[in-house]
Amino acid sequence: MGARTAAAVLIGRAVRVAARLRGGGSAIPGATALKVDPGFLARTISAIPDGVVAVSGSNGKSTTTNMLAAIVRAHGLKVFTNPSGGNLPQGIASALLADVSVSGRLDADIAVLEVDEGYGPRLAGLLKPRTVLLLNIQIDQLNRYHEPDRVATMLATVAASATDGLILNREDNFLVDIDERIPAREGRRVSWFGGAPALVEAAGHGVATADRFDSPSTSKERPASVEVVALDGVHATLALGDTQVVVRLPARGMHYALDAAAAAATAKSVLGDRFQPELVALALDALETVYGRGEMLEIDGEQVEIIMMKNPASLQLNLDALDATPEQVFLAVDEGTPDPSWIYDIDFSRLDHVDGITGSKAWQFAVRFGYLGMPVGEVDLDVRRAVKRFLALPPPSTGHKVMILNYELMMSIRKVLGFKELEGGGA
């Protein structure tokens, strides 16, 4: 077993170096390591003293995992986490290769791991999390998940795997009472996060959670361990019991504020008496944005905001959170969004034009904007040429350029722009 683990680590690292030189393929090193040693991931993770915190849901996983890891680190613990996007077994294994010793030992007190909802049941069996945080269930990847009820069933399995703590979104009618729909477990503590009712109601399209039609018990009061009580741009006020802290968010919007509340509530559950509310603000104020999630890039001396759209909810919430109508805006969508027909349900009123659209699904968006009577500058299926043309526009008179990209083109366009960090990577 020791020789197999050593071989898995060494071969995986060699593949990782090659992948980094190519600027892509972050999951390939982990997949290679797991072929050499199928037990590499489960065995390494099981040896972490304070166990695993699993973070899952339709949207916000990467941002919340990043926030939670930062808060726990601020309390003095050594944290292993999987960078944005590496939320399948091979992605987590790739992240391990950056830090694990050749013998398979990991110098970490706790693991905070983003978990893909589709792989959640399998990963829960591998990782055996002590704590599970479930963020939301939203309309997402209908080609893959079909209905939100199916996602709810998968996340219920993940929830049931938690031994110590289960943290749920009070504002999500699929999740608020999931603790009542899974087998009880002695010693498991259940807590909730949420937003003040006035803030949730004031959000342009609510918090975009999917509708549940089987009479959920959402009217039952669930006390929030952490609640968003004020929101001002990229700053949110969180109430943690009798204490309130103001935190900086990675970008505008109630959805980011709820991510911060989720991270704080989970840290509170995990750390118990060691939890210090003031360290939440300290950690989040210094946190770097997860790329593609409201990220601001400097390109040739000009600020360009990158907004990732993964599904209807993420696009709608990010549109709702725009400070003002962008003077210059660009869209890029490819086969990573196989059926974009849901764009006919999106409220695009925060946009008054689009300067350019690219990607294999560009014409579907152009047709939608045509029905809306919204001007479109150019449709060009050549991604590099379209990006170059948009960036060549004179700087806007107010604000900054905005690029709205689906996940796959967000990754490839960042590389075109010279930002070649790998997901699932590390030092």
Side-chain angles (χ1 to χ4, degrees), residues 305-321:
E305 183 174 4
I306 306 294
I307 296 174
M308 185 185 74
M309 62 169 183
K310 195 177 77 169
N311 50 34
S314 64
L315 177 56
Q316 188 66 73
L317 291 172
N318 283 311
L319 287 174
D320 291 347

Side-chain angles (χ1 to χ4, degrees), residues 143 332-340 359-362 364 406 408-409:
N143 60 298
V333 191
D334 69 356
E335 297 302 323
T337 305
D339 177 10
S360 58
K361 301 294 185 182
Q364 282 93 324
N406 74 340
E408 289 75 13
L409 280 180

Side-chain angles (χ1 to χ4, degrees), residues 130-143:
R130 296 186 187 179
T131 301
V132 169
L133 164 61
L134 299 183
L135 294 168
N136 46 55
I137 295 179
Q138 298 172 331
I139 302 298
D140 182 20
Q141 301 184 62
L142 297 181
N143 60 298

Side-chain angles (χ1 to χ4, degrees), residues 328-344:
Q328 294 178 357
V329 61
F330 177 84
L331 239 69
V333 191
D334 69 356
E335 297 302 323
T337 305
D339 177 10
S341 59
W342 48 259
I343 60 175
Y344 286 84

Side-chain angles (χ1 to χ4, degrees), residues 51-119:
V52 172
V53 181
V55 179
S56 197
S58 297
N59 279 326
K61 297 185 291 294
S62 297
T63 295
T64 307
T65 298
N66 193 37
M67 289 176 169
L68 177 56
I71 294 170
V72 174
R73 284 193 184 106
H75 283 79
L77 276 69
K78 290 181 284 189
V79 179
F80 167 71
T81 190
N82 51 332
S84 163
N87 57 15
L88 301 178
Q90 59 268 31
I92 299 173
S94 285
L96 276 174
L97 291 171
D99 299 319
V100 74
S101 71
V102 174
S103 63
R105 293 181 60 85
L106 186 67
D107 184 21
D109 299 313
I110 190 170
V112 177
L113 300 176
E114 172 185 340
V115 171
D116 175 82
E117 56 272 39
Y119 268 78

Side-chain angles (χ1 to χ4, degrees), residues 7-327:
V9 173
L10 292 173
I11 294 171
R13 283 181 177 166
V15 173
R16 185 171 179 269
V17 170
R20 289 178 72 89
L21 290 173
R22 290 176 58 247
S26 64
I28 296 174
T32 303
L34 290 174
K35 282 186 178 179
V36 175
D37 180 7
F40 167 64
L41 174 59
R43 191 167 54 252
T44 304
I45 291 295
S46 68
I48 297 175
D50 289 343
V52 172
V53 181
V55 179
S56 197
S58 297
N59 279 326
K61 297 185 291 294
S62 297
T63 295
T64 307
T65 298
N66 193 37
M67 289 176 169
L68 177 56
I71 294 170
V72 174
R73 284 193 184 106
H75 283 79
L77 276 69
K78 290 181 284 189
V79 179
F80 167 71
T81 190
N82 51 332
S84 163
N87 57 15
L88 301 178
Q90 59 268 31
I92 299 173
S94 285
L96 276 174
L97 291 171
D99 299 319
V100 74
S101 71
V102 174
S103 63
R105 293 181 60 85
L106 186 67
D107 184 21
D109 299 313
I110 190 170
V112 177
L113 300 176
E114 172 185 340
V115 171
D116 175 82
E117 56 272 39
Y119 268 78
R122 178 185 171 191
L123 279 168
L126 281 173
L127 303 174
K128 296 179 171 54
R130 296 186 187 179
T131 301
V132 169
L133 164 61
L134 299 183
L135 294 168
N136 46 55
I137 295 179
Q138 298 172 331
I139 302 298
D140 182 20
Q141 301 184 62
L142 297 181
N143 60 298
R144 183 181 178 200
Y145 297 130
H146 311 306
E147 292 291 343
D149 302 75
R150 186 181 180 200
V151 179
T153 300
M154 293 186 289
L155 290 184
T157 301
V158 179
S161 71
T163 58
D164 295 359
L166 176 61
I167 299 88
L168 303 171
N169 184 351
R170 186 184 65 185
E171 315 308 334
D172 189 301
N173 64 9
F174 271 102
L175 297 180
V176 62
D177 62 346
I178 206 169
D179 59 307
E180 298 176 350
R181 293 182 280 122
I182 60 174
R185 194 161 196 164
E186 185 177 354
R188 181 168 61 207
R189 305 175 305 278
V190 183
S191 55
W192 289 266
F193 66 94
L199 288 178
V200 175
E201 292 168 9
H205 293 83
V207 290
T209 56
D211 290 323
R212 176 177 161 205
F213 302 106
D214 62 345
S215 302
S217 59
T218 51
S219 60
K220 184 177 179 180
E221 276 297 318
R222 302 298 174 113
S225 171
V226 179
E227 184 177 61
V228 183
V229 295
L231 185 60
D232 181 13
V234 295
H235 290 91
T237 303
L238 306 182
L240 303 95
D242 296 330
T243 303
Q244 291 192 358
V245 297
V246 178
V247 300
R248 185 178 66 83
L249 306 174
R252 308 162 301 271
M254 186 63 181
H255 52 308
Y256 282 111
L258 286 172
D259 290 344
T266 306
K268 190 176 180 182
S269 176
V270 169
L271 295 166
D273 293 341
R274 295 174 290 173
F275 180 72
Q276 301 177 53
E278 64 274 13
L279 293 182
V280 174
L282 184 68
L284 298 190
D285 286 353
L287 194 62
E288 291 186 9
T289 303
V290 178
Y291 47 88
R293 285 79 172 176
E295 179 184 32
M296 196 72 72
L297 298 180
E298 183 172 326
I299 303 168
D300 295 331
E302 188 176 354
Q303 295 292 305
V304 180
E305 183 174 4
I306 306 294
I307 296 174
M308 185 185 74
M309 62 169 183
K310 195 177 77 169
N311 50 34
S314 64
L315 177 56
Q316 188 66 73
L317 291 172
N318 283 311
L319 287 174
D320 291 347
L322 288 170
D323 281 334
T325 299
E327 186 176 325

